[in-house]
Structures are given as structure tokens and as C-alpha cells.
Coordinates of all heavy atoms in Angstrom, one line a residue:
M17 N -70.4 43.3 -7.4 CA -69.9 44.5 -7.8 C -68.9 44.3 -8.9 O -68.0 43.4 -8.6 CB -69.4 45.3 -6.6 CG -68.6 46.5 -6.9 SD -68.1 47.3 -5.4 CE -69.1 48.7 -5.4
P18 N -69.0 44.9 -10.0 CA -68.0 44.7 -11.0 C -66.5 45.1 -10.6 O -66.3 46.1 -9.8 CB -68.4 45.6 -12.1 CG -69.9 45.9 -11.9 CD -70.0 45.8 -10.4
A19 N -65.6 44.4 -11.0 CA -64.2 44.6 -10.6 C -63.7 46.0 -10.9 O -62.9 46.5 -10.1 CB -63.3 43.5 -11.3
E20 N -64.2 46.6 -12.0 CA -63.7 48.0 -12.3 C -64.1 49.0 -11.3 O -63.5 50.1 -11.2 CB -64.1 48.4 -13.7 CG -65.6 48.5 -13.9 CD -66.3 47.3 -14.5 OE1 -65.6 46.2 -14.5 OE2 -67.4 47.4 -14.9
H21 N -65.1 48.7 -10.4 CA -65.5 49.6 -9.3 C -64.8 49.3 -8.0 O -65.2 50.0 -7.0 CB -67.0 49.6 -9.2 CG -67.7 50.0 -10.4 ND1 -67.7 51.3 -10.9 CD2 -68.5 49.3 -11.3 CE1 -68.4 51.4 -12.0 NE2 -68.9 50.2 -12.3
L22 N -64.0 48.3 -7.9 CA -63.4 47.9 -6.7 C -62.0 48.6 -6.5 O -61.4 48.9 -7.4 CB -63.2 46.4 -6.7 CG -64.4 45.5 -6.7 CD1 -63.9 44.0 -6.9 CD2 -65.2 45.7 -5.5
P23 N -61.7 48.9 -5.2 CA -60.4 49.4 -4.9 C -59.3 48.3 -5.3 O -59.6 47.1 -5.3 CB -60.4 49.5 -3.3 CG -61.8 49.5 -3.0 CD -62.5 48.7 -4.0
S24 N -58.1 48.8 -5.5 CA -57.1 48.0 -6.0 C -56.7 46.8 -5.1 O -56.5 45.7 -5.5 CB -55.8 48.7 -6.3 OG -55.3 49.4 -5.2
V25 N -56.8 47.0 -3.8 CA -56.6 46.0 -2.8 C -57.6 44.8 -2.9 O -57.3 43.7 -2.8 CB -56.5 46.5 -1.4 CG1 -57.9 47.0 -0.9 CG2 -56.0 45.4 -0.4
A26 N -58.9 45.2 -3.2 CA -59.9 44.2 -3.4 C -59.7 43.5 -4.7 O -59.9 42.3 -4.8 CB -61.3 44.9 -3.4
K27 N -59.4 44.2 -5.8 CA -59.1 43.5 -7.1 C -58.0 42.4 -7.0 O -58.2 41.3 -7.5 CB -58.7 44.5 -8.1 CG -59.8 45.4 -8.6 CD -59.3 46.4 -9.7 CE -60.2 47.5 -9.9 NZ -59.6 48.5 -10.9
A28 N -57.0 42.8 -6.2 CA -55.9 41.8 -6.0 C -56.4 40.6 -5.3 O -56.0 39.5 -5.6 CB -54.7 42.5 -5.3
A29 N -57.1 40.8 -4.3 CA -57.6 39.6 -3.5 C -58.7 38.8 -4.1 O -58.7 37.5 -4.0 CB -58.1 40.1 -2.1
L30 N -59.6 39.4 -4.9 CA -60.7 38.7 -5.5 C -60.3 38.1 -6.9 O -60.9 37.1 -7.2 CB -61.9 39.7 -5.6 CG -62.5 40.2 -4.4 CD1 -63.5 41.3 -4.7 CD2 -63.1 39.1 -3.6
G31 N -59.5 38.8 -7.6 CA -59.2 38.4 -9.0 C -60.4 38.5 -9.9 O -60.4 37.8 -10.9
G32 N -61.3 39.4 -9.6 CA -62.5 39.6 -10.4 C -63.5 40.3 -9.7 O -63.3 41.1 -8.7
D33 N -64.8 40.1 -10.1 CA -65.9 40.9 -9.5 C -66.1 40.4 -8.0 O -65.8 39.3 -7.6 CB -67.2 40.5 -10.3 CG -67.2 41.0 -11.7 OD1 -66.3 41.9 -12.0 OD2 -68.0 40.5 -12.5
L34 N -66.7 41.3 -7.2 CA -67.2 41.0 -5.9 C -68.5 40.3 -5.9 O -69.5 41.0 -6.3 CB -67.2 42.3 -5.0 CG -67.8 42.1 -3.6 CD1 -66.9 41.2 -2.8 CD2 -67.9 43.5 -3.0
V35 N -68.6 39.1 -5.6 CA -69.8 38.3 -5.6 C -70.2 38.0 -4.2 O -69.5 37.3 -3.5 CB -69.7 37.0 -6.4 CG1 -71.0 36.2 -6.4 CG2 -69.3 37.4 -7.8
I36 N -71.3 38.5 -3.7 CA -71.8 38.3 -2.4 C -72.9 37.3 -2.4 O -73.9 37.5 -3.1 CB -72.3 39.6 -1.7 CG1 -71.1 40.6 -1.6 CG2 -72.9 39.4 -0.4 CD1 -71.5 42.0 -1.3
Q37 N -72.8 36.2 -1.7 CA -73.8 35.2 -1.6 C -74.4 35.2 -0.2 O -73.6 35.2 0.8 CB -73.2 33.8 -1.9 CG -72.7 33.7 -3.3 CD -71.9 32.5 -3.5 OE1 -71.5 31.8 -2.6 NE2 -71.6 32.2 -4.7
R38 N -75.7 35.2 -0.1 CA -76.4 35.4 1.2 C -77.4 34.3 1.5 O -78.2 34.1 0.6 CB -76.9 36.8 1.3 CG -77.6 37.2 2.6 CD -78.1 38.6 2.5 NE -79.2 38.8 1.6 CZ -79.7 39.9 1.2 NH1 -79.1 41.0 1.6 NH2 -80.6 40.0 0.3
M39 N -77.4 33.8 2.7 CA -78.5 32.9 3.2 C -79.1 33.5 4.4 O -78.4 33.8 5.4 CB -77.8 31.6 3.5 CG -78.8 30.6 4.2 SD -80.0 29.9 3.1 CE -79.0 28.7 2.3
E40 N -80.4 33.7 4.3 CA -81.2 34.2 5.4 C -82.2 33.2 6.0 O -82.7 32.4 5.2 CB -82.0 35.5 5.0 CG -81.1 36.6 4.6 CD -82.0 37.9 4.2 OE1 -83.1 37.9 4.5 OE2 -81.4 38.7 3.5
N41 N -82.4 33.2 7.3 CA -83.4 32.3 7.9 C -84.2 33.3 8.8 O -83.7 33.9 9.7 CB -82.7 31.2 8.8 CG -82.0 30.2 7.9 OD1 -82.6 29.6 7.0 ND2 -80.7 30.1 8.0
W42 N -85.5 33.2 8.6 CA -86.5 34.2 9.4 C -87.5 33.3 10.2 O -88.0 32.3 9.7 CB -87.2 35.0 8.4 CG -86.3 36.1 7.8 CD1 -85.5 36.0 6.7 CD2 -86.1 37.4 8.4 NE1 -84.9 37.2 6.5 CE2 -85.2 38.1 7.5 CE3 -86.6 38.1 9.5 CZ2 -84.8 39.3 7.8 CZ3 -86.2 39.3 9.7 CH2 -85.3 40.0 8.8
A43 N -87.9 33.9 11.3 CA -89.0 33.4 12.1 C -89.4 34.5 13.1 O -88.7 35.0 13.8 CB -88.5 32.1 12.9
A44 N -90.7 34.8 13.0 CA -91.4 35.7 14.0 C -90.6 37.0 14.2 O -90.3 37.4 15.3 CB -91.6 35.0 15.3
G45 N -90.3 37.8 13.1 CA -89.7 39.1 13.2 C -88.2 39.2 13.5 O -87.7 40.2 13.8
A46 N -87.6 38.0 13.4 CA -86.1 38.0 13.6 C -85.5 37.0 12.7 O -86.2 36.1 12.2 CB -85.8 37.7 15.1
G47 N -84.2 37.2 12.4 CA -83.6 36.2 11.5 C -82.1 36.3 11.6 O -81.5 37.1 12.3
T48 N -81.5 35.3 11.0 CA -80.0 35.3 10.9 C -79.6 35.3 9.4 O -80.4 35.0 8.6 CB -79.5 34.0 11.5 OG1 -80.0 32.9 10.9 CG2 -79.8 33.9 13.0
V49 N -78.3 35.8 9.2 CA -77.8 35.9 7.9 C -76.4 35.4 7.9 O -75.7 35.6 8.9 CB -77.9 37.3 7.4 CG1 -77.1 38.3 8.2 CG2 -77.5 37.4 5.9
E50 N -76.1 34.6 6.9 CA -74.7 34.2 6.6 C -74.3 34.7 5.2 O -75.0 34.4 4.3 CB -74.6 32.7 6.7 CG -74.9 32.1 8.0 CD -75.0 30.5 7.9 OE1 -74.5 30.0 7.0 OE2 -75.5 30.0 8.9
V51 N -73.2 35.4 5.1 CA -72.8 35.9 3.8 C -71.4 35.4 3.6 O -70.5 35.5 4.4 CB -72.7 37.5 3.9 CG1 -72.2 38.1 2.6 CG2 -74.1 38.1 4.2
T52 N -71.2 34.9 2.3 CA -69.9 34.4 1.9 C -69.5 35.4 0.6 O -70.4 35.9 0.0 CB -69.8 33.0 1.5 OG1 -70.8 32.7 0.5 CG2 -70.0 32.1 2.7
I53 N -68.2 35.6 0.5 CA -67.8 36.5 -0.5 C -66.9 35.8 -1.6 O -65.8 35.7 -1.4 CB -67.0 37.6 0.2 CG1 -67.7 38.3 1.3 CG2 -66.5 38.7 -0.9 CD1 -67.4 37.7 2.7
G54 N -67.6 35.2 -2.6 CA -66.9 34.5 -3.7 C -65.7 33.7 -3.3 O -65.9 32.8 -2.4
S55 N -64.5 34.0 -3.8 CA -63.4 33.2 -3.5 C -62.6 33.7 -2.2 O -61.5 33.1 -2.0 CB -62.5 33.1 -4.7 OG -62.0 34.5 -5.0
V56 N -63.1 34.7 -1.6 CA -62.4 35.3 -0.4 C -62.5 34.3 0.8 O -63.7 33.9 1.1 CB -62.9 36.7 -0.1 CG1 -62.3 37.2 1.1 CG2 -62.6 37.6 -1.3
P57 N -61.5 34.1 1.6 CA -61.6 33.3 2.8 C -62.2 34.2 3.9 O -61.4 34.6 4.7 CB -60.2 32.8 3.1 CG -59.3 33.9 2.4 CD -60.1 34.4 1.2
G58 N -63.5 34.4 3.9 CA -64.1 35.2 4.9 C -65.6 35.1 4.8 O -66.1 34.5 3.9
R59 N -66.2 35.8 5.7 CA -67.7 35.7 5.8 C -68.2 36.8 6.7 O -67.5 37.4 7.5 CB -68.2 34.3 6.3 CG -67.7 34.0 7.7 CD -68.0 32.6 8.1 NE -69.5 32.4 8.3 CZ -70.2 31.5 7.6 NH1 -69.6 30.7 6.7 NH2 -71.5 31.3 7.8
L60 N -69.5 37.0 6.6 CA -70.3 37.9 7.5 C -71.3 37.0 8.2 O -72.1 36.3 7.5 CB -70.9 39.0 6.8 CG -71.8 40.0 7.6 CD1 -71.7 41.4 7.0 CD2 -73.2 39.5 7.7
D61 N -71.4 37.0 9.5 CA -72.5 36.4 10.3 C -73.2 37.5 11.0 O -72.6 38.3 11.6 CB -71.9 35.4 11.2 CG -71.3 34.2 10.5 OD1 -72.0 33.6 9.7 OD2 -70.1 34.0 10.7
G62 N -74.6 37.5 11.0 CA -75.3 38.5 11.6 C -76.7 38.1 12.0 O -77.2 36.9 11.7
A63 N -77.4 39.0 12.6 CA -78.8 38.8 13.0 C -79.6 40.0 12.5 O -79.2 41.2 12.6 CB -78.9 38.6 14.5
F64 N -80.8 39.8 12.1 CA -81.8 40.8 11.7 C -82.9 40.8 12.8 O -83.3 39.8 13.4 CB -82.6 40.4 10.4 CG -81.9 40.6 9.2 CD1 -81.4 39.4 8.5 CD2 -81.5 41.8 8.6 CE1 -80.7 39.6 7.3 CE2 -80.9 42.0 7.5 CZ -80.4 40.8 6.8
T65 N -83.4 42.0 13.1 CA -84.6 42.2 13.9 C -85.5 43.2 13.2 O -85.0 44.1 12.5 CB -84.3 42.7 15.3 OG1 -83.6 43.9 15.2 CG2 -83.5 41.7 16.1
I66 N -86.8 42.9 13.4 CA -87.8 43.9 12.8 C -88.7 44.4 14.0 O -89.1 43.5 14.8 CB -88.7 43.2 11.7 CG1 -87.9 42.7 10.6 CG2 -89.8 44.1 11.3 CD1 -88.7 41.9 9.6
T67 N -88.7 45.7 14.1 CA -89.5 46.3 15.3 C -90.4 47.3 14.7 O -90.2 47.9 13.7 CB -88.5 46.9 16.3 OG1 -87.7 47.9 15.6 CG2 -87.7 45.9 17.0
D68 N -91.5 47.5 15.5 CA -92.5 48.6 15.1 C -91.8 49.9 15.5 O -91.2 50.1 16.5 CB -93.7 48.3 16.1 CG -94.8 49.3 15.8 OD1 -94.7 50.2 14.9 OD2 -95.9 49.1 16.4
N69 N -92.0 50.9 14.5 CA -91.5 52.2 14.8 C -92.6 53.3 14.7 O -92.4 54.5 14.4 CB -90.3 52.6 13.9 CG -90.7 52.9 12.5 OD1 -91.9 52.7 12.1 ND2 -89.8 53.4 11.6
G70 N -93.8 52.9 15.0 CA -95.0 53.8 15.0 C -95.7 53.8 13.7 O -96.9 53.4 13.7
S71 N -95.1 54.3 12.7 CA -95.8 54.4 11.4 C -95.4 53.3 10.4 O -95.9 53.3 9.3 CB -95.4 55.7 10.7 OG -94.0 55.8 10.4
G72 N -94.6 52.3 10.8 CA -94.2 51.3 10.0 C -93.3 50.3 10.8 O -93.6 50.0 11.9
S73 N -92.2 49.9 10.2 CA -91.3 49.0 10.9 C -89.9 49.4 10.6 O -89.6 50.1 9.6 CB -91.6 47.5 10.4 OG -91.4 47.4 9.0
K74 N -89.0 48.9 11.4 CA -87.6 49.2 11.3 C -86.8 47.9 11.2 O -87.0 47.0 12.1 CB -87.1 50.0 12.5 CG -85.6 50.3 12.4 CD -85.2 51.1 13.7 CE -83.7 51.3 13.7 NZ -83.3 52.0 14.9
L75 N -85.9 47.7 10.2 CA -85.1 46.5 10.1 C -83.7 46.8 10.6 O -83.1 47.9 10.2 CB -85.0 46.1 8.6 CG -84.1 45.0 8.3 CD1 -84.6 43.7 8.9 CD2 -83.9 44.8 6.8
T76 N -83.2 46.1 11.5 CA -81.8 46.3 12.0 C -81.0 45.1 11.7 O -81.5 43.9 12.0 CB -81.9 46.6 13.6 OG1 -82.8 47.7 13.8 CG2 -80.5 46.9 14.1
L77 N -79.8 45.2 11.2 CA -78.9 44.2 11.1 C -77.6 44.4 11.9 O -77.0 45.5 11.8 CB -78.4 44.1 9.6 CG -77.2 43.2 9.3 CD1 -77.5 41.7 9.7 CD2 -76.8 43.3 7.8
T78 N -77.3 43.4 12.7 CA -76.0 43.5 13.5 C -75.2 42.3 13.1 O -75.8 41.2 12.8 CB -76.2 43.4 15.0 OG1 -77.0 42.3 15.4 CG2 -77.0 44.7 15.5
G79 N -73.9 42.5 12.9 CA -73.1 41.3 12.5 C -71.6 41.7 12.5 O -71.2 42.8 12.9
E80 N -70.9 40.7 12.1 CA -69.4 40.8 12.1 C -68.9 40.2 10.8 O -69.3 39.1 10.4 CB -68.8 40.1 13.3 CG -67.3 40.2 13.3 CD -66.7 39.5 14.5 OE1 -67.3 38.6 15.1 OE2 -65.6 39.8 14.9
V81 N -68.0 41.0 10.1 CA -67.3 40.5 8.9 C -65.9 40.1 9.3 O -65.2 40.8 10.1 CB -67.2 41.6 7.8 CG1 -66.5 41.2 6.6 CG2 -68.6 42.2 7.5
K82 N -65.5 39.0 8.8 CA -64.1 38.4 9.1 C -63.6 38.0 7.8 O -64.1 37.1 7.2 CB -64.2 37.3 10.2 CG -62.8 36.8 10.6 CD -62.0 37.9 11.3 CE -60.7 37.3 11.7 NZ -59.7 38.4 11.9
V83 N -62.4 38.5 7.4 CA -61.7 38.1 6.2 C -60.3 37.7 6.7 O -59.5 38.4 7.3 CB -61.6 39.2 5.2 CG1 -60.7 38.7 4.0 CG2 -62.9 39.6 4.7
S84 N -59.9 36.4 6.4 CA -58.6 35.8 6.9 C -57.5 36.0 5.8 O -57.0 34.9 5.3 CB -58.8 34.4 7.3 OG -59.8 34.3 8.3
I85 N -57.2 37.2 5.5 CA -56.0 37.5 4.5 C -55.1 38.4 5.2 O -55.5 39.5 5.6 CB -56.5 38.1 3.2 CG1 -57.5 37.1 2.5 CG2 -55.3 38.4 2.3 CD1 -58.1 37.7 1.3
P86 N -53.9 38.0 5.5 CA -52.9 38.9 6.2 C -52.7 40.2 5.5 O -52.7 40.2 4.3 CB -51.6 38.1 6.2 CG -52.1 36.6 6.1 CD -53.3 36.7 5.2
L87 N -52.7 41.2 6.3 CA -52.4 42.6 5.7 C -53.6 43.2 5.0 O -53.7 44.5 5.1 CB -51.1 42.7 4.9 CG -49.8 42.2 5.5 CD1 -48.7 42.3 4.5 CD2 -49.5 43.0 6.8
M88 N -54.4 42.5 4.3 CA -55.5 43.0 3.6 C -56.8 42.7 4.1 O -57.8 43.4 3.8 CB -55.5 42.4 2.1 CG -54.3 42.9 1.2 SD -54.6 42.5 -0.5 CE -54.8 40.7 -0.5
G89 N -56.9 41.9 5.1 CA -58.2 41.5 5.7 C -59.0 42.6 6.2 O -60.2 42.7 5.9
G90 N -58.4 43.5 7.0 CA -59.1 44.6 7.6 C -59.8 45.5 6.5 O -60.9 46.0 6.7
K91 N -59.0 45.9 5.5 CA -59.5 46.7 4.4 C -60.7 46.1 3.7 O -61.7 46.7 3.4 CB -58.4 47.1 3.4 CG -57.4 48.0 4.0 CD -56.3 48.4 3.0 CE -55.3 49.2 3.7 NZ -54.2 49.5 2.7
L92 N -60.6 44.8 3.4 CA -61.6 44.0 2.8 C -62.9 43.9 3.7 O -63.9 44.0 3.2 CB -61.1 42.6 2.4 CG -60.1 42.6 1.2 CD1 -59.6 41.2 1.0 CD2 -60.8 43.2 -0.1
E93 N -62.6 43.7 5.0 CA -63.8 43.6 5.9 C -64.6 44.9 5.9 O -65.8 44.8 5.8 CB -63.3 43.4 7.3 CG -62.7 41.9 7.5 CD -62.0 41.8 8.8 OE1 -61.8 42.7 9.6 OE2 -61.6 40.6 9.1
K94 N -63.9 46.0 5.9 CA -64.7 47.3 5.9 C -65.4 47.5 4.6 O -66.6 47.8 4.5 CB -63.7 48.4 6.0 CG -64.3 49.8 6.0 CD -63.3 50.9 6.2 CE -64.1 52.2 6.2 NZ -63.2 53.3 6.0
M95 N -64.8 47.2 3.4 CA -65.4 47.3 2.1 C -66.6 46.3 2.0 O -67.7 46.8 1.5 CB -64.5 47.0 1.0 CG -65.0 47.2 -0.4 SD -64.1 46.4 -1.7 CE -64.3 44.7 -1.2
I96 N -66.5 45.1 2.5 CA -67.6 44.2 2.4 C -68.7 44.6 3.3 O -69.9 44.5 2.8 CB -67.1 42.7 2.7 CG1 -66.2 42.3 1.6 CG2 -68.3 41.8 3.0 CD1 -65.3 41.1 2.0
A97 N -68.5 45.0 4.4 CA -69.5 45.5 5.3 C -70.3 46.7 4.7 O -71.5 46.8 4.7 CB -69.0 45.9 6.7
E98 N -69.6 47.6 4.1 CA -70.2 48.7 3.4 C -71.0 48.3 2.2 O -72.2 48.8 2.0 CB -69.1 49.7 2.9 CG -68.4 50.5 4.0 CD -67.2 51.3 3.5 OE1 -66.8 51.2 2.4 OE2 -66.7 52.0 4.4
Q99 N -70.6 47.3 1.5 CA -71.3 46.9 0.3 C -72.6 46.1 0.7 O -73.6 46.2 0.0 CB -70.4 46.0 -0.6 CG -69.4 46.8 -1.4 CD -70.0 48.0 -2.1 OE1 -70.9 47.9 -2.9 NE2 -69.4 49.2 -1.9
V100 N -72.5 45.3 1.8 CA -73.7 44.6 2.3 C -74.7 45.6 2.7 O -75.9 45.5 2.4 CB -73.3 43.6 3.4 CG1 -74.5 43.0 4.1 CG2 -72.5 42.5 2.8
A101 N -74.3 46.7 3.4 CA -75.2 47.7 3.8 C -75.9 48.4 2.7 O -77.1 48.7 2.6 CB -74.5 48.8 4.7
V102 N -75.1 48.7 1.6 CA -75.7 49.3 0.4 C -76.7 48.3 -0.2 O -77.7 48.8 -0.6 CB -74.6 49.7 -0.6 CG1 -75.1 50.0 -2.0 CG2 -73.7 50.8 -0.1
L103 N -76.4 47.1 -0.3 CA -77.2 46.1 -0.9 C -78.6 46.0 -0.1 O -79.7 46.0 -0.7 CB -76.6 44.7 -0.8 CG -77.4 43.5 -1.3 CD1 -77.8 43.7 -2.8 CD2 -76.7 42.2 -1.1
I104 N -78.5 46.0 1.2 CA -79.7 46.0 2.0 C -80.6 47.2 1.9 O -81.7 47.2 1.8 CB -79.4 45.7 3.5 CG1 -78.9 44.3 3.7 CG2 -80.6 45.9 4.4 CD1 -78.2 43.9 5.0
D105 N -79.9 48.4 1.8 CA -80.6 49.6 1.6 C -81.4 49.6 0.3 O -82.5 50.0 0.1 CB -79.7 50.8 1.6 CG -79.2 51.2 3.1 OD1 -79.9 50.7 4.0 OD2 -78.2 52.0 3.2
K106 N -80.7 49.2 -0.8 CA -81.3 49.1 -2.1 C -82.5 48.1 -2.2 O -83.5 48.4 -2.8 CB -80.3 48.7 -3.2 CG -79.3 49.9 -3.5 CD -78.3 49.5 -4.6 CE -77.3 50.5 -4.8 NZ -77.6 51.5 -5.8
E107 N -82.3 47.0 -1.5 CA -83.4 46.0 -1.4 C -84.6 46.7 -0.7 O -85.7 46.5 -1.0 CB -83.0 44.8 -0.7 CG -82.1 43.9 -1.6 CD -81.6 42.7 -0.8 OE1 -81.7 42.6 0.4 OE2 -81.0 41.8 -1.5
S108 N -84.3 47.4 0.4 CA -85.4 48.0 1.2 C -86.2 49.1 0.3 O -87.4 49.1 0.3 CB -84.8 48.7 2.4 OG -85.8 49.4 3.1
E109 N -85.4 49.9 -0.4 CA -86.0 50.9 -1.3 C -86.9 50.2 -2.4 O -88.0 50.6 -2.7 CB -84.9 51.8 -2.0 CG -84.2 52.6 -1.0 CD -83.0 53.3 -1.7 OE1 -82.7 53.2 -3.0 OE2 -82.2 53.9 -0.9
F110 N -86.3 49.2 -3.0 CA -87.1 48.4 -4.0 C -88.4 47.8 -3.4 O -89.5 48.0 -4.0 CB -86.3 47.2 -4.6 CG -87.1 46.3 -5.4 CD1 -87.3 46.6 -6.8 CD2 -87.6 45.2 -4.9 CE1 -88.0 45.8 -7.6 CE2 -88.4 44.3 -5.7 CZ -88.6 44.6 -7.1
T111 N -88.3 47.2 -2.2 CA -89.4 46.6 -1.6 C -90.5 47.7 -1.3 O -91.7 47.5 -1.5 CB -89.0 45.8 -0.3 OG1 -88.1 44.9 -0.7 CG2 -90.3 45.2 0.4
S112 N -90.1 48.8 -0.8 CA -91.0 49.9 -0.5 C -91.7 50.4 -1.7 O -93.0 50.6 -1.6 CB -90.3 51.1 0.2 OG -89.8 50.7 1.5
R113 N -91.0 50.6 -2.8 CA -91.6 51.0 -4.1 C -92.6 49.9 -4.5 O -93.7 50.3 -5.0 CB -90.6 51.3 -5.1 CG -89.9 52.6 -5.0 CD -89.1 53.0 -6.2 NE -88.2 52.0 -6.7 CZ -87.0 51.8 -6.3 NH1 -86.4 52.5 -5.4 NH2 -86.2 50.8 -6.8
W114 N -92.2 48.7 -4.5 CA -93.0 47.6 -5.0 C -94.3 47.5 -4.2 O -95.4 47.4 -4.7 CB -92.3 46.3 -4.8 CG -92.9 45.1 -5.4 CD1 -92.8 44.6 -6.8 CD2 -93.8 44.2 -4.8 NE1 -93.6 43.5 -7.0 CE2 -94.2 43.2 -5.7 CE3 -94.2 44.0 -3.5 CZ2 -95.0 42.2 -5.4 CZ3 -95.1 43.0 -3.2 CH2 -95.5 42.0 -4.2
L115 N -94.2 47.6 -2.8 CA -95.4 47.6 -2.0 C -96.3 48.8 -2.3 O -97.5 48.7 -2.3 CB -95.1 47.5 -0.6 CG -94.4 46.2 -0.1 CD1 -93.9 46.3 1.3 CD2 -95.4 45.1 -0.1
A116 N -95.7 50.0 -2.4 CA -96.5 51.2 -2.7 C -97.3 51.1 -4.0 O -98.4 51.6 -4.1 CB -95.6 52.4 -2.7
N117 N -96.7 50.5 -5.0 CA -97.4 50.3 -6.3 C -98.5 49.3 -6.3 O -99.2 49.1 -7.3 CB -96.4 50.0 -7.4 CG -95.5 51.1 -7.7 OD1 -95.8 52.3 -7.5 ND2 -94.2 50.8 -8.1
R118 N -98.6 48.5 -5.2 CA -99.6 47.5 -5.2 C -100.7 47.7 -4.1 O -101.5 46.9 -3.8 CB -99.0 46.1 -4.9 CG -98.4 45.6 -6.2 CD -97.2 44.7 -6.0 NE -96.6 44.3 -7.3 CZ -95.9 44.9 -8.1 NH1 -95.6 46.2 -7.8 NH2 -95.4 44.4 -9.2
G119 N -100.6 48.9 -3.4 CA -101.4 49.2 -2.3 C -102.6 50.0 -2.6 O -103.3 50.0 -3.5

């Protein structure tokens, strides 16, 4: 996320753009995710599950964001969790469109 779109507290902590790096590991409808946030001393650890919802499937992510910066950590944790959710939603929309165009 470009720095100009970040809240001032995030700009101060990051010193630039918000860069989210993600590593996923999948096996048989479930997976884990590890997210690091550029130069911020923090991370998100979580788990994915895919379940049948009748007409398709449902992807669920549960996880925890932890940022170890006194006074600012809580605000950054909330912002990072929101941005990861937006990223996953956009990826889901893209994948649905991509699959629909090839079906």
C-alpha cells in the first residue's frame, strides 16, 4: 500500500510504503499463512480452511497480528489485519472472474 494512503501513525513506523510478504502452505483443503510487514517488527500467523457451502466453497482465515512497537503496535495491528483482509478479498474476486472467463 503506498505511503500516501497510510494513516500518519503507520507512515511514522514504516518510513515508506506498507509491504506485505506472505507465505502460504496448503494440503487437503487447509493451510497456514505467515505474513511479515516490511521493516515492522511484527507478523500475522494464521490458518485457512476451505469448506463446501452448497453451491461452491467458502474460504475462512483465522489468525493473529502482533506488532511489537510500544504505543503504536495496537493501531498498526488493526490496520494490518484490515489490509490483509482487503488483499484476500481482492484475490478472491480476481480468481472468481478468472475462473468464470475460462469455464
